[in-house]
Amino acid sequence: MDYIRLGKTNALISRVAFGAMRLLDSEGENNAGAIVRKAYDAGINFFDTSRKTPETEKLLGDALYDIRKNVFLSTTTASTSAEEIKEDLETSLMTLHCDTVDLYQFETEDFLPLPDGEDGIYKLFMSFKAENKAKSIGIVTTNFDLAKKAVESDLYDTIQFPFSMVSPDESVEIVKLCEEHDMGFIAMQPLGGGIIQNIPLAFGFLHQYESVIPIWGVQTQEELEQILYFYEHPPVIDEKFKADVDQIRNFFN
């Protein structure tokens, strides 16, 4: 497994990140604990969840309990007031069985918390860092203008933004901006929200961008093995590959 620096977090992160939100549907031999540990044994050290799916926070926390210090753990809040966000983080820490998360992400489509904001949210985020309850703070959004503003503000450590081979061309601008501002770029929806069926093409497209860490939602060990296989055997980026990608991009766009 290759590891890259995640922007200003300075953390070395596996180029395959594990999205835990689909673990709720895991069962039997594909139980959440077995899948998470298999991912960890394969070298994946970035595990992402959200307070919006509290059940998966618990599943992930239970699975990582004895190896917590060896992984990079992130969770997300979508609350809109400082008081609710504080409650969310305290609940997440308890559910994840830890005193700190490596990355605490704020999901927003409407506004960007700023240091002088009357809402007090940005100041609260900084207090989380000062108290070591969250080592880094990131933004999650699908709003291009807000994403661009967040990167250019230099106030946040990471951004999680939709990025796949069917994303609009302007999405690459966010990737390049992150590189210029030393901000970690986490790609959500690497399969375009489920519309991309060609996994090798999807993986190969993202693998071209060395600063991008895609989060792959995993529900079964078979899905995990498929992702790991394409990581170890990425498609050759030749003219045929580019033509196939363009064909799919043109179809959906």
Side-chain angles (χ1 to χ4, degrees):
M1 181 66 64
D2 291 332
Y3 300 85
I4 64 172
R5 178 175 167 272
L6 185 62
K8 292 186 283 286
T9 71
N10 283 324
L12 289 178
I13 300 301
S14 53
R15 290 194 66 189
V16 176
F18 188 108
M21 275 63 80
R22 296 178 63 215
L23 285 179
L24 188 60
D25 300 319
S26 302
E27 57 185 19
E29 64 180 17
N30 284 312
N31 68 80
I35 297 171
V36 169
R37 295 309 283 251
K38 185 178 181 69
Y40 173 75
D41 291 341
I44 295 175
N45 72 345
F46 184 3
F47 295 86
D48 179 68
T49 183
S50 173
R51 184 92 289 262
K52 291 172 73 172
T53 55
E55 298 89 347
T56 60
E57 270 193 337
K58 184 179 188 310
L59 289 170
L60 189 60
D62 291 348
L64 295 175
Y65 180 74
D66 61 328
I67 53 171
R68 169 65 187 93
K69 64 180 181 180
N70 300 329
V71 301
F72 187 92
L73 182 59
S74 71
T75 192
T76 304
T77 178
S79 293
T80 55
S81 73
E83 182 179 352
E84 291 174 338
I85 291 170
K86 185 175 182 179
E87 291 178 359
D88 275 356
L89 179 57
E90 294 296 341
T91 303
S92 290
L93 292 175
M94 180 177 63
T95 305
L96 291 166
H97 310 305
C98 57
D99 298 322
T100 181
V101 289
D102 298 288
L103 174 62
Y104 196 52
Q105 300 174 103
F106 179 58
E107 185 174 347
T108 176
E109 301 295 328
D110 304 315
F111 78 104
L112 183 71
L114 299 174
D116 58 353
E118 293 183 2
D119 50 74
I121 292 176
Y122 187 81
K123 290 181 180 179
L124 179 64
F125 289 151
M126 293 304 98
S127 73
F128 291 160
K129 294 180 76 170
E131 297 167 8
N132 199 36
K133 291 184 177 180
K135 296 180 180 178
S136 303
I137 302 295
I139 293 293
V140 179
T141 188
T142 63
N143 183 318
F144 174 82
D145 292 331
L146 192 146
K148 186 175 180 181
K149 182 179 180 181
V151 178
E152 292 177 337
S153 74
D154 288 319
L155 295 172
Y156 295 90
D157 302 303
T158 66
I159 191 159
Q160 188 172 158
F161 186 74
F163 190 55
S164 71
M165 67 178 181
V166 297
S167 295
D169 292 337
E170 65 182 10
S171 298
V172 178
E173 181 182 343
I174 302 297
V175 174
K176 293 180 178 179
L177 268 179
C178 284
E179 292 174 349
E180 294 171 8
H181 289 260
D182 194 27
M183 190 171 183
F185 186 97
I186 303 167
M188 69 164 82
Q189 301 174 5
L191 296 179
I195 65 175
I196 301 173
Q197 301 299 316
N198 192 316
I199 307 298
L201 279 185
F203 198 100
F205 174 84
L206 291 166
H207 206 65
Q208 297 176 98
Y209 297 89
E210 294 186 359
S211 64
V212 171
I213 297 182
I215 289 186
W216 300 92
V218 179
Q219 181 179 345
T220 67
Q221 294 209 32
E222 183 179 359
E223 288 177 345
L224 176 61
E225 289 167 359
Q226 188 177 40
I227 292 166
L228 292 171
Y229 175 84
F230 290 121
Y231 170 78
E232 296 171 359
H233 306 87
V236 176
I237 309 300
D238 54 15
E239 293 305 315
K240 174 66 165 57
F241 176 91
K242 294 177 181 178
D244 290 343
V245 169
D246 286 342
Q247 183 179 19
I248 292 176
R249 285 178 59 82
N250 290 335
F251 177 81
F252 287 107
N253 293 324

